[in-house]
Amino acid sequence: MTPRLSSTLRGSDPEREHLSETGRANEALRVVWAGYYADRGLLVLSFVWIAGRWFKRQMIAERPEALYEPLTWLGAVAFPEPISGAAWYGIAASMAGAVGLCLWRPRLIVARVAVAVCALLLMATEFAYGKIEHVNHLFLLAHVYAVFLPVGRPGNGESIGLQAEATRWYQGGLLFLYTMAGLWKFVDMTLRAALKPGMTWLHPEATPALVALSYRVHDFSLAVPQAFYEVRWLFPVGYVVLAFLLAPAALAPFRRPLLLLILPTVVLFHLANALTFYALFLSTIAVAVVLFTPYDLFVPAVRRSLTPVEHAHFEGTGAEARYRRRYMTRDVDVFEGFYAYRARLEDRMWILAAPFYYPGAVWLAERLLRTKPPQPST
Amino acid sequence: MTTPQRLTATKALILAGILLSYGSYGVYKLGGPIELYPFFYWRLYSAPVGADVSVTHRIYARGASDAAWQRLPVRPTRSYPRKEYAWQLESLVGKALRDSLDRTDARERVALFAREVAPDAAEHRIVAEIIYPQALAKGIIHYDTTTVFHFAR
């Protein structure tokens, strides 16, 4: 990755953020460990997922065969007729075995491919009854993108940095789904609203109407959508806030404190969709929590593996601020201006620094800092 | 495979996934299938389609000795969760309606589904219910109906 791309993705400025060798190593270790635990969690969750597919299989097996109609190209090619019990159990067992292999040997490409292919095949058998549901898609994509991932316990030397970068790209690639969802909203709020007549999500009655439609389509009581109508002014505000929160989702793995904003947004987004549109992406929530939780913040073993900070010092104000972080190895990280404030906040508590990793926050804060009058000397 | 090679391959896979997702949208816009599995374009709920008027279908059933038709609400069955019942019904009815010259078995499949849901009924009707979501949200409960299919044993 070019230095310019790297600094853009990370929201950093190499002229104002000087990470020492120890600082870079600590940062990489944290990412690699977080990715390792996420992968362990995903693999364990995969066993639960297979069990869930078994329960679904029991239900689908009761449906008349004449109603089976594969909706995906994979389903049409692999299963032009409803899958037999033996074939289904064969694929499920293969997937379970491959997951077990991945737990033992996380980088075994053959096992990773087997997990991804089996998961895609199992879902293809279900996508044959009226609609392709997206609810398991994050899970599927997580296994597809993990095929070559150099996941595992941290290696040595240069490989840690490469492992960390791969983990960031992996998580960013998955979160790009939400970035796309957020970006579409901006297009709809602007271009579509200008070019096409009709209701947009910025209309206060849009969400209550669509909630009423969802509830009516599923023959639920209309009490909830009618209650939403009473607070309809909240929804356009929520829509705009959601668009702004989802759009930078893919950057969060590169600006890791931002994960503390993005992950709750993703969870609340899916919970809200479950309540309003009966879009039951509850398993997606489990996958997102497993994959994007910053385990390095609270797993003691990870904290112990890092080189401790011996001393941190902040001086100056505004654009002249300096924050120095000295490690036990005597290496020193130096941050200047806005980055000094952000680093100090980050060392105190990630959630305090998270908003300052939002795209554009640097630009805004730097301009404010430059216009900040010098403090009188005491 | 070395770690640098794995990093490059991971990035390539992700980039391919992103391009295929947008490509999936392009294919859809050109009249192709809905989405290129498993690369979806994530434009879900980007526009409140159906807020003005929407059509949903329901199965109405009547026993041999009954005079009145009974509306069967969407509900979980032994083989269909609630959501999938609604999807399956809409999908089958939609295909049957598009097959106006009755050249496929689409109508038979609708009848099969109706009998699956209400096996004891002697007759089934598929009724289009024209609903007005904005009015529903305000508490105005009203919908118009029209029969689209009628099946008798």
Side-chain angles (χ1 to χ4, degrees), chain A residues 56 62-63 73 107 137 165 188 201 216-219 278, chain B residues 6 11 37-38 42 45-46 58 74 78-79 82-84 129:
Chain A
K56 191 63 178 287
E62 301 269 346
R63 299 175 186 177
W73 66 268
R107 299 193 187 190
H137 194 68
E165 188 176 342
D188 266 22
W201 287 113
R216 175 64 172 78
V217 162
H218 296 101
D219 282 325
Y278 199 50
Chain B
R6 285 175 175 271
K11 287 182 182 177
Y37 182 71
W42 303 102
Y45 300 123
S46 61
R58 288 292 178 269
V74 167
R78 190 182 68 238
S79 55
R82 184 188 291 262
K83 281 169 72 70
E84 292 183 34
E129 297 179 343

PDB file of all heavy atoms in Angstrom, chain A residues 56 62-63 73 107 137 165 188 201 216-219 278, chain B residues 6 11 37-38 42 45-46 58 74 78-79 82-84 129:
ATOM      1  N   LYS A  56     -33.439 -25.191   9.753  1.00  0.00           N
ATOM      2  CA  LYS A  56     -34.120 -24.661   8.561  1.00  0.00           C
ATOM      3  C   LYS A  56     -34.393 -25.792   7.564  1.00  0.00           C
ATOM      4  O   LYS A  56     -35.447 -25.834   6.922  1.00  0.00           O
ATOM      5  CB  LYS A  56     -33.234 -23.589   7.927  1.00  0.00           C
ATOM      6  CG  LYS A  56     -33.904 -22.768   6.831  1.00  0.00           C
ATOM      7  CD  LYS A  56     -35.075 -21.986   7.365  1.00  0.00           C
ATOM      8  CE  LYS A  56     -35.735 -21.134   6.306  1.00  0.00           C
ATOM      9  NZ  LYS A  56     -34.919 -19.974   5.947  1.00  0.00           N
ATOM     10  N   GLU A  62     -40.353 -30.090   4.385  1.00  0.00           N
ATOM     11  CA  GLU A  62     -41.806 -30.304   4.419  1.00  0.00           C
ATOM     12  C   GLU A  62     -42.506 -29.672   3.226  1.00  0.00           C
ATOM     13  O   GLU A  62     -43.693 -29.917   2.993  1.00  0.00           O
ATOM     14  CB  GLU A  62     -42.386 -29.695   5.703  1.00  0.00           C
ATOM     15  CG  GLU A  62     -41.814 -30.251   6.995  1.00  0.00           C
ATOM     16  CD  GLU A  62     -42.608 -31.424   7.515  1.00  0.00           C
ATOM     17  OE1 GLU A  62     -43.738 -31.644   7.028  1.00  0.00           O
ATOM     18  OE2 GLU A  62     -42.101 -32.152   8.376  1.00  0.00           O
ATOM     19  N   ARG A  63     -41.804 -28.814   2.475  1.00  0.00           N
ATOM     20  CA  ARG A  63     -42.458 -28.075   1.393  1.00  0.00           C
ATOM     21  C   ARG A  63     -42.607 -28.959   0.166  1.00  0.00           C
ATOM     22  O   ARG A  63     -41.745 -29.797  -0.111  1.00  0.00           O
ATOM     23  CB  ARG A  63     -41.650 -26.822   1.040  1.00  0.00           C
ATOM     24  CG  ARG A  63     -41.514 -25.853   2.212  1.00  0.00           C
ATOM     25  CD  ARG A  63     -40.612 -24.675   1.900  1.00  0.00           C
ATOM     26  NE  ARG A  63     -40.410 -23.865   3.111  1.00  0.00           N
ATOM     27  CZ  ARG A  63     -39.618 -22.801   3.170  1.00  0.00           C
ATOM     28  NH1 ARG A  63     -38.949 -22.396   2.083  1.00  0.00           N
ATOM     29  NH2 ARG A  63     -39.491 -22.127   4.291  1.00  0.00           N
ATOM     30  N   TRP A  73     -27.773 -18.493  -9.597  1.00  0.00           N
ATOM     31  CA  TRP A  73     -27.136 -19.287 -10.644  1.00  0.00           C
ATOM     32  C   TRP A  73     -26.483 -20.529 -10.045  1.00  0.00           C
ATOM     33  O   TRP A  73     -26.504 -21.618 -10.634  1.00  0.00           O
ATOM     34  CB  TRP A  73     -26.091 -18.439 -11.383  1.00  0.00           C
ATOM     35  CG  TRP A  73     -24.929 -18.032 -10.538  1.00  0.00           C
ATOM     36  CD1 TRP A  73     -24.812 -16.880  -9.808  1.00  0.00           C
ATOM     37  CD2 TRP A  73     -23.730 -18.775 -10.285  1.00  0.00           C
ATOM     38  NE1 TRP A  73     -23.631 -16.875  -9.128  1.00  0.00           N
ATOM     39  CE2 TRP A  73     -22.940 -18.023  -9.396  1.00  0.00           C
ATOM     40  CE3 TRP A  73     -23.265 -20.015 -10.717  1.00  0.00           C
ATOM     41  CZ2 TRP A  73     -21.706 -18.452  -8.952  1.00  0.00           C
ATOM     42  CZ3 TRP A  73     -22.019 -20.451 -10.265  1.00  0.00           C
ATOM     43  CH2 TRP A  73     -21.254 -19.665  -9.397  1.00  0.00           C
ATOM     44  N   ARG A 107      -4.588 -21.055   8.566  1.00  0.00           N
ATOM     45  CA  ARG A 107      -4.180 -20.573   7.249  1.00  0.00           C
ATOM     46  C   ARG A 107      -4.279 -21.632   6.159  1.00  0.00           C
ATOM     47  O   ARG A 107      -3.781 -21.430   5.053  1.00  0.00           O
ATOM     48  CB  ARG A 107      -2.752 -20.056   7.297  1.00  0.00           C
ATOM     49  CG  ARG A 107      -2.573 -18.894   8.241  1.00  0.00           C
ATOM     50  CD  ARG A 107      -1.239 -18.254   8.010  1.00  0.00           C
ATOM     51  NE  ARG A 107      -0.972 -17.230   9.007  1.00  0.00           N
ATOM     52  CZ  ARG A 107       0.044 -16.374   8.926  1.00  0.00           C
ATOM     53  NH1 ARG A 107       0.881 -16.442   7.903  1.00  0.00           N
ATOM     54  NH2 ARG A 107       0.236 -15.483   9.858  1.00  0.00           N
ATOM     55  N   HIS A 137     -25.671 -12.957   4.611  1.00  0.00           N
ATOM     56  CA  HIS A 137     -24.662 -12.590   3.632  1.00  0.00           C
ATOM     57  C   HIS A 137     -23.345 -12.153   4.252  1.00  0.00           C
ATOM     58  O   HIS A 137     -22.281 -12.450   3.704  1.00  0.00           O
ATOM     59  CB  HIS A 137     -25.188 -11.502   2.719  1.00  0.00           C
ATOM     60  CG  HIS A 137     -24.342 -11.326   1.510  1.00  0.00           C
ATOM     61  ND1 HIS A 137     -24.257 -12.289   0.533  1.00  0.00           N
ATOM     62  CD2 HIS A 137     -23.494 -10.348   1.149  1.00  0.00           C
ATOM     63  CE1 HIS A 137     -23.394 -11.886  -0.387  1.00  0.00           C
ATOM     64  NE2 HIS A 137     -22.917 -10.707  -0.041  1.00  0.00           N
ATOM     65  N   GLU A 165      -2.033  -5.392   8.268  1.00  0.00           N
ATOM     66  CA  GLU A 165      -2.641  -4.740   7.103  1.00  0.00           C
ATOM     67  C   GLU A 165      -3.698  -5.634   6.472  1.00  0.00           C
ATOM     68  O   GLU A 165      -4.767  -5.169   6.075  1.00  0.00           O
ATOM     69  CB  GLU A 165      -1.566  -4.390   6.071  1.00  0.00           C
ATOM     70  CG  GLU A 165      -2.105  -3.544   4.930  1.00  0.00           C
ATOM     71  CD  GLU A 165      -1.027  -3.111   3.959  1.00  0.00           C
ATOM     72  OE1 GLU A 165       0.156  -3.168   4.315  1.00  0.00           O
ATOM     73  OE2 GLU A 165      -1.396  -2.730   2.830  1.00  0.00           O
ATOM     74  N   ASP A 188     -29.661   8.977  -2.818  1.00  0.00           N
ATOM     75  CA  ASP A 188     -31.108   9.095  -2.806  1.00  0.00           C
ATOM     76  C   ASP A 188     -31.578  10.402  -2.217  1.00  0.00           C
ATOM     77  O   ASP A 188     -32.586  10.958  -2.633  1.00  0.00           O
ATOM     78  CB  ASP A 188     -31.714   7.915  -2.024  1.00  0.00           C
ATOM     79  CG  ASP A 188     -32.083   6.782  -2.955  1.00  0.00           C
ATOM     80  OD1 ASP A 188     -31.523   6.728  -4.063  1.00  0.00           O
ATOM     81  OD2 ASP A 188     -32.927   5.964  -2.589  1.00  0.00           O
ATOM     82  N   TRP A 201     -37.028   9.384   1.823  1.00  0.00           N
ATOM     83  CA  TRP A 201     -36.906   9.084   3.235  1.00  0.00           C
ATOM     84  C   TRP A 201     -36.854  10.347   4.095  1.00  0.00           C
ATOM     85  O   TRP A 201     -36.996  10.268   5.310  1.00  0.00           O
ATOM     86  CB  TRP A 201     -35.643   8.246   3.503  1.00  0.00           C
ATOM     87  CG  TRP A 201     -35.752   6.840   3.042  1.00  0.00           C
ATOM     88  CD1 TRP A 201     -35.046   6.257   2.021  1.00  0.00           C
ATOM     89  CD2 TRP A 201     -36.610   5.812   3.548  1.00  0.00           C
ATOM     90  NE1 TRP A 201     -35.413   4.946   1.880  1.00  0.00           N
ATOM     91  CE2 TRP A 201     -36.370   4.659   2.809  1.00  0.00           C
ATOM     92  CE3 TRP A 201     -37.568   5.770   4.575  1.00  0.00           C
ATOM     93  CZ2 TRP A 201     -37.036   3.458   3.042  1.00  0.00           C
ATOM     94  CZ3 TRP A 201     -38.233   4.577   4.816  1.00  0.00           C
ATOM     95  CH2 TRP A 201     -37.968   3.444   4.054  1.00  0.00           C
ATOM     96  N   ARG A 216     -48.468  -4.673   7.717  1.00  0.00           N
ATOM     97  CA  ARG A 216     -49.684  -5.123   7.033  1.00  0.00           C
ATOM     98  C   ARG A 216     -49.394  -6.331   6.133  1.00  0.00           C
ATOM     99  O   ARG A 216     -50.185  -7.269   6.076  1.00  0.00           O
ATOM    100  CB  ARG A 216     -50.249  -3.966   6.193  1.00  0.00           C
ATOM    101  CG  ARG A 216     -51.424  -4.307   5.349  1.00  0.00           C
ATOM    102  CD  ARG A 216     -52.627  -4.717   6.183  1.00  0.00           C
ATOM    103  NE  ARG A 216     -53.820  -4.876   5.371  1.00  0.00           N
ATOM    104  CZ  ARG A 216     -54.093  -5.923   4.603  1.00  0.00           C
ATOM    105  NH1 ARG A 216     -53.252  -6.932   4.547  1.00  0.00           N
ATOM    106  NH2 ARG A 216     -55.209  -5.958   3.894  1.00  0.00           N
ATOM    107  N   VAL A 217     -48.255  -6.309   5.476  1.00  0.00           N
ATOM    108  CA  VAL A 217     -47.877  -7.421   4.603  1.00  0.00           C
ATOM    109  C   VAL A 217     -47.729  -8.707   5.411  1.00  0.00           C
ATOM    110  O   VAL A 217     -48.033  -9.792   4.927  1.00  0.00           O
ATOM    111  CB  VAL A 217     -46.572  -7.088   3.852  1.00  0.00           C
ATOM    112  CG1 VAL A 217     -45.914  -8.332   3.282  1.00  0.00           C
ATOM    113  CG2 VAL A 217     -46.846  -6.086   2.734  1.00  0.00           C
ATOM    114  N   HIS A 218     -47.297  -8.568   6.654  1.00  0.00           N
ATOM    115  CA  HIS A 218     -47.134  -9.748   7.506  1.00  0.00           C
ATOM    116  C   HIS A 218     -48.293  -9.937   8.465  1.00  0.00           C
ATOM    117  O   HIS A 218     -48.241 -10.784   9.359  1.00  0.00           O
ATOM    118  CB  HIS A 218     -45.815  -9.652   8.287  1.00  0.00           C
ATOM    119  CG  HIS A 218     -44.610  -9.667   7.411  1.00  0.00           C
ATOM    120  ND1 HIS A 218     -43.909  -8.517   7.070  1.00  0.00           N
ATOM    121  CD2 HIS A 218     -43.992 -10.682   6.756  1.00  0.00           C
ATOM    122  CE1 HIS A 218     -42.911  -8.843   6.267  1.00  0.00           C
ATOM    123  NE2 HIS A 218     -42.938 -10.133   6.057  1.00  0.00           N
ATOM    124  N   ASP A 219     -49.344  -9.135   8.260  1.00  0.00           N
ATOM    125  CA  ASP A 219     -50.549  -9.243   9.083  1.00  0.00           C
ATOM    126  C   ASP A 219     -50.272  -9.099  10.574  1.00  0.00           C
ATOM    127  O   ASP A 219     -50.877  -9.795  11.408  1.00  0.00           O
ATOM    128  CB  ASP A 219     -51.300 -10.553   8.793  1.00  0.00           C
ATOM    129  CG  ASP A 219     -52.098 -10.465   7.493  1.00  0.00           C
ATOM    130  OD1 ASP A 219     -52.617  -9.366   7.193  1.00  0.00           O
ATOM    131  OD2 ASP A 219     -52.200 -11.480   6.776  1.00  0.00           O
ATOM    132  N   TYR A 278     -39.500  -5.600   9.916  1.00  0.00           N
ATOM    133  CA  TYR A 278     -39.494  -7.055  10.119  1.00  0.00           C
ATOM    134  C   TYR A 278     -38.347  -7.683   9.309  1.00  0.00           C
ATOM    135  O   TYR A 278     -38.457  -8.783   8.788  1.00  0.00           O
ATOM    136  CB  TYR A 278     -40.844  -7.666   9.715  1.00  0.00           C
ATOM    137  CG  TYR A 278     -41.075  -9.040  10.300  1.00  0.00           C
ATOM    138  CD1 TYR A 278     -40.898  -9.305  11.654  1.00  0.00           C
ATOM    139  CD2 TYR A 278     -41.499 -10.102   9.482  1.00  0.00           C
ATOM    140  CE1 TYR A 278     -41.118 -10.558  12.184  1.00  0.00           C
ATOM    141  CE2 TYR A 278     -41.725 -11.358  10.011  1.00  0.00           C
ATOM    142  CZ  TYR A 278     -41.537 -11.583  11.360  1.00  0.00           C
ATOM    143  OH  TYR A 278     -41.763 -12.828  11.890  1.00  0.00           O
TER     144      TYR A 278
ATOM    145  N   ARG B   6      -0.307 -13.552   0.494  1.00  0.00           N
ATOM    146  CA  ARG B   6      -1.648 -13.647   1.087  1.00  0.00           C
ATOM    147  C   ARG B   6      -2.292 -12.276   1.195  1.00  0.00           C
ATOM    148  O   ARG B   6      -3.491 -12.107   0.957  1.00  0.00           O
ATOM    149  CB  ARG B   6      -1.571 -14.298   2.459  1.00  0.00           C
ATOM    150  CG  ARG B   6      -1.350 -15.796   2.412  1.00  0.00           C
ATOM    151  CD  ARG B   6      -1.156 -16.340   3.821  1.00  0.00           C
ATOM    152  NE  ARG B   6      -1.055 -17.787   3.830  1.00  0.00           N
ATOM    153  CZ  ARG B   6      -2.099 -18.602   3.930  1.00  0.00           C
ATOM    154  NH1 ARG B   6      -3.316 -18.104   4.056  1.00  0.00           N
ATOM    155  NH2 ARG B   6      -1.928 -19.909   3.924  1.00  0.00           N
ATOM    156  N   LYS B  11      -6.451  -8.608  -0.714  1.00  0.00           N
ATOM    157  CA  LYS B  11      -6.872  -7.330  -1.284  1.00  0.00           C
ATOM    158  C   LYS B  11      -7.535  -7.535  -2.641  1.00  0.00           C
ATOM    159  O   LYS B  11      -8.560  -6.906  -2.945  1.00  0.00           O
ATOM    160  CB  LYS B  11      -5.664  -6.409  -1.464  1.00  0.00           C
ATOM    161  CG  LYS B  11      -5.093  -5.818  -0.199  1.00  0.00           C
ATOM    162  CD  LYS B  11      -3.938  -4.893  -0.570  1.00  0.00           C
ATOM    163  CE  LYS B  11      -3.295  -4.298   0.642  1.00  0.00           C
ATOM    164  NZ  LYS B  11      -2.136  -3.451   0.276  1.00  0.00           N
ATOM    165  N   TYR B  37     -25.325 -13.589  -7.287  1.00  0.00           N
ATOM    166  CA  TYR B  37     -24.976 -14.274  -6.052  1.00  0.00           C
ATOM    167  C   TYR B  37     -23.511 -14.651  -6.057  1.00  0.00           C
ATOM    168  O   TYR B  37     -23.013 -15.189  -7.053  1.00  0.00           O
ATOM    169  CB  TYR B  37     -25.845 -15.518  -5.938  1.00  0.00           C
ATOM    170  CG  TYR B  37     -25.636 -16.323  -4.685  1.00  0.00           C
ATOM    171  CD1 TYR B  37     -26.064 -15.832  -3.459  1.00  0.00           C
ATOM    172  CD2 TYR B  37     -25.025 -17.563  -4.713  1.00  0.00           C
ATOM    173  CE1 TYR B  37     -25.902 -16.567  -2.311  1.00  0.00           C
ATOM    174  CE2 TYR B  37     -24.856 -18.301  -3.566  1.00  0.00           C
ATOM    175  CZ  TYR B  37     -25.296 -17.809  -2.365  1.00  0.00           C
ATOM    176  OH  TYR B  37     -25.138 -18.530  -1.230  1.00  0.00           O
ATOM    177  N   PRO B  38     -22.753 -14.482  -4.964  1.00  0.00           N
ATOM    178  CA  PRO B  38     -23.118 -13.835  -3.697  1.00  0.00           C
ATOM    179  C   PRO B  38     -22.700 -12.368  -3.612  1.00  0.00           C
ATOM    180  O   PRO B  38     -22.425 -11.878  -2.529  1.00  0.00           O
ATOM    181  CB  PRO B  38     -22.325 -14.663  -2.690  1.00  0.00           C
ATOM    182  CG  PRO B  38     -21.043 -14.953  -3.404  1.00  0.00           C
ATOM    183  CD  PRO B  38     -21.409 -15.082  -4.846  1.00  0.00           C
ATOM    184  N   TRP B  42     -26.395  -3.964  -2.202  1.00  0.00           N
ATOM    185  CA  TRP B  42     -26.663  -3.302  -0.933  1.00  0.00           C
ATOM    186  C   TRP B  42     -27.373  -1.981  -1.080  1.00  0.00           C
ATOM    187  O   TRP B  42     -27.112  -1.047  -0.356  1.00  0.00           O
ATOM    188  CB  TRP B  42     -25.360  -3.144  -0.132  1.00  0.00           C
ATOM    189  CG  TRP B  42     -24.768  -4.473   0.053  1.00  0.00           C
ATOM    190  CD1 TRP B  42     -23.721  -5.018  -0.626  1.00  0.00           C
ATOM    191  CD2 TRP B  42     -25.243  -5.517   0.906  1.00  0.00           C
ATOM    192  NE1 TRP B  42     -23.501  -6.313  -0.215  1.00  0.00           N
ATOM    193  CE2 TRP B  42     -24.429  -6.644   0.722  1.00  0.00           C
ATOM    194  CE3 TRP B  42     -26.297  -5.604   1.831  1.00  0.00           C
ATOM    195  CZ2 TRP B  42     -24.620  -7.826   1.405  1.00  0.00           C
ATOM    196  CZ3 TRP B  42     -26.479  -6.783   2.518  1.00  0.00           C
ATOM    197  CH2 TRP B  42     -25.643  -7.874   2.294  1.00  0.00           C
ATOM    198  N   TYR B  45     -33.549  -0.657   0.833  1.00  0.00           N
ATOM    199  CA  TYR B  45     -34.335   0.378   1.484  1.00  0.00           C
ATOM    200  C   TYR B  45     -33.800   1.776   1.217  1.00  0.00           C
ATOM    201  O   TYR B  45     -33.901   2.656   2.058  1.00  0.00           O
ATOM    202  CB  TYR B  45     -34.405   0.141   2.988  1.00  0.00           C
ATOM    203  CG  TYR B  45     -35.028  -1.171   3.342  1.00  0.00           C
ATOM    204  CD1 TYR B  45     -34.342  -2.112   4.115  1.00  0.00           C
ATOM    205  CD2 TYR B  45     -36.281  -1.517   2.883  1.00  0.00           C
ATOM    206  CE1 TYR B  45     -34.911  -3.327   4.427  1.00  0.00           C
ATOM    207  CE2 TYR B  45     -36.857  -2.735   3.201  1.00  0.00           C
ATOM    208  CZ  TYR B  45     -36.159  -3.626   3.983  1.00  0.00           C
ATOM    209  OH  TYR B  45     -36.713  -4.829   4.295  1.00  0.00           O
ATOM    210  N   SER B  46     -33.196   1.970   0.055  1.00  0.00           N
ATOM    211  CA  SER B  46     -32.676   3.306  -0.214  1.00  0.00           C
ATOM    212  C   SER B  46     -33.795   4.239  -0.667  1.00  0.00           C
ATOM    213  O   SER B  46     -33.610   5.436  -0.735  1.00  0.00           O
ATOM    214  CB  SER B  46     -31.578   3.249  -1.267  1.00  0.00           C
ATOM    215  OG  SER B  46     -32.105   2.731  -2.471  1.00  0.00           O
ATOM    216  N   ARG B  58     -53.509 -12.336  -0.699  1.00  0.00           N
ATOM    217  CA  ARG B  58     -53.879 -13.218   0.379  1.00  0.00           C
ATOM    218  C   ARG B  58     -54.661 -14.402  -0.175  1.00  0.00           C
ATOM    219  O   ARG B  58     -55.310 -14.304  -1.218  1.00  0.00           O
ATOM    220  CB  ARG B  58     -54.762 -12.513   1.427  1.00  0.00           C
ATOM    221  CG  ARG B  58     -54.016 -11.519   2.279  1.00  0.00           C
ATOM    222  CD  ARG B  58     -53.013 -12.223   3.196  1.00  0.00           C
ATOM    223  NE  ARG B  58     -52.263 -11.249   3.979  1.00  0.00           N
ATOM    224  CZ  ARG B  58     -51.106 -10.726   3.575  1.00  0.00           C
ATOM    225  NH1 ARG B  58     -50.578 -11.078   2.418  1.00  0.00           N
ATOM    226  NH2 ARG B  58     -50.489  -9.853   4.342  1.00  0.00           N
ATOM    227  N   VAL B  74     -51.430 -14.025   6.845  1.00  0.00           N
ATOM    228  CA  VAL B  74     -50.069 -14.569   6.824  1.00  0.00           C
ATOM    229  C   VAL B  74     -49.726 -15.009   8.239  1.00  0.00           C
ATOM    230  O   VAL B  74     -49.920 -14.268   9.198  1.00  0.00           O
ATOM    231  CB  VAL B  74     -49.065 -13.505   6.337  1.00  0.00           C
ATOM    232  CG1 VAL B  74     -47.628 -13.948   6.614  1.00  0.00           C
ATOM    233  CG2 VAL B  74     -49.256 -13.232   4.862  1.00  0.00           C
ATOM    234  N   ARG B  78     -46.179 -25.042   9.390  1.00  0.00           N
ATOM    235  CA  ARG B  78     -45.206 -26.102   9.688  1.00  0.00           C
ATOM    236  C   ARG B  78     -43.963 -25.976   8.812  1.00  0.00           C
ATOM    237  O   ARG B  78     -42.845 -26.289   9.216  1.00  0.00           O
ATOM    238  CB  ARG B  78     -45.871 -27.456   9.465  1.00  0.00           C
ATOM    239  CG  ARG B  78     -45.057 -28.644   9.976  1.00  0.00           C
ATOM    240  CD  ARG B  78     -45.761 -29.937   9.663  1.00  0.00           C
ATOM    241  NE  ARG B  78     -45.792 -30.194   8.225  1.00  0.00           N
ATOM    242  CZ  ARG B  78     -46.900 -30.358   7.524  1.00  0.00           C
ATOM    243  NH1 ARG B  78     -48.078 -30.282   8.088  1.00  0.00           N
ATOM    244  NH2 ARG B  78     -46.847 -30.574   6.213  1.00  0.00           N
ATOM    245  N   SER B  79     -44.150 -25.486   7.582  1.00  0.00           N
ATOM    246  CA  SER B  79     -43.030 -25.465   6.644  1.00  0.00           C
ATOM    247  C   SER B  79     -42.578 -24.067   6.232  1.00  0.00           C
ATOM    248  O   SER B  79     -41.590 -23.924   5.516  1.00  0.00           O
ATOM    249  CB  SER B  79     -43.386 -26.266   5.383  1.00  0.00           C
ATOM    250  OG  SER B  79     -44.581 -25.774   4.824  1.00  0.00           O
ATOM    251  N   ARG B  82     -43.192 -16.969   8.979  1.00  0.00           N
ATOM    252  CA  ARG B  82     -44.118 -15.930   8.520  1.00  0.00           C
ATOM    253  C   ARG B  82     -43.585 -15.183   7.294  1.00  0.00           C
ATOM    254  O   ARG B  82     -44.294 -14.986   6.306  1.00  0.00           O
ATOM    255  CB  ARG B  82     -44.379 -14.963   9.667  1.00  0.00           C
ATOM    256  CG  ARG B  82     -45.408 -13.879   9.372  1.00  0.00           C
ATOM    257  CD  ARG B  82     -45.450 -12.866  10.500  1.00  0.00           C
ATOM    258  NE  ARG B  82     -46.008 -13.410  11.724  1.00  0.00           N
ATOM    259  CZ  ARG B  82     -47.277 -13.240  12.117  1.00  0.00           C
ATOM    260  NH1 ARG B  82     -48.098 -12.540  11.361  1.00  0.00           N
ATOM    261  NH2 ARG B  82     -47.707 -13.736  13.255  1.00  0.00           N
ATOM    262  N   LYS B  83     -42.315 -14.731   7.379  1.00  0.00           N
ATOM    263  CA  LYS B  83     -41.759 -13.940   6.271  1.00  0.00           C
ATOM    264  C   LYS B  83     -41.755 -14.742   4.975  1.00  0.00           C
ATOM    265  O   LYS B  83     -42.099 -14.237   3.918  1.00  0.00           O
ATOM    266  CB  LYS B  83     -40.318 -13.537   6.603  1.00  0.00           C
ATOM    267  CG  LYS B  83     -40.186 -12.362   7.543  1.00  0.00           C
ATOM    268  CD  LYS B  83     -38.745 -12.231   7.996  1.00  0.00           C
ATOM    269  CE  LYS B  83     -37.844 -11.731   6.907  1.00  0.00           C
ATOM    270  NZ  LYS B  83     -38.107 -10.332   6.581  1.00  0.00           N
ATOM    271  N   GLU B  84     -41.330 -15.985   5.075  1.00  0.00           N
ATOM    272  CA  GLU B  84     -41.175 -16.786   3.860  1.00  0.00           C
ATOM    273  C   GLU B  84     -42.531 -17.165   3.286  1.00  0.00           C
ATOM    274  O   GLU B  84     -42.653 -17.351   2.078  1.00  0.00           O
ATOM    275  CB  GLU B  84     -40.319 -18.008   4.168  1.00  0.00           C
ATOM    276  CG  GLU B  84     -38.871 -17.604   4.485  1.00  0.00           C
ATOM    277  CD  GLU B  84     -37.969 -18.778   4.736  1.00  0.00           C
ATOM    278  OE1 GLU B  84     -38.160 -19.834   4.100  1.00  0.00           O
ATOM    279  OE2 GLU B  84     -37.054 -18.648   5.571  1.00  0.00           O
ATOM    280  N   GLU B 129     -55.074  -7.376  -2.472  1.00  0.00           N
ATOM    281  CA  GLU B 129     -55.538  -6.365  -1.532  1.00  0.00           C
ATOM    282  C   GLU B 129     -54.743  -5.096  -1.794  1.00  0.00           C
ATOM    283  O   GLU B 129     -53.525  -5.089  -1.643  1.00  0.00           O
ATOM    284  CB  GLU B 129     -55.362  -6.850  -0.094  1.00  0.00           C
ATOM    285  CG  GLU B 129     -56.191  -8.095   0.213  1.00  0.00           C
ATOM    286  CD  GLU B 129     -56.006  -8.595   1.642  1.00  0.00           C
ATOM    287  OE1 GLU B 129     -55.019  -8.207   2.299  1.00  0.00           O
ATOM    288  OE2 GLU B 129     -56.859  -9.396   2.092  1.00  0.00           O
TER     289      GLU B 129
END
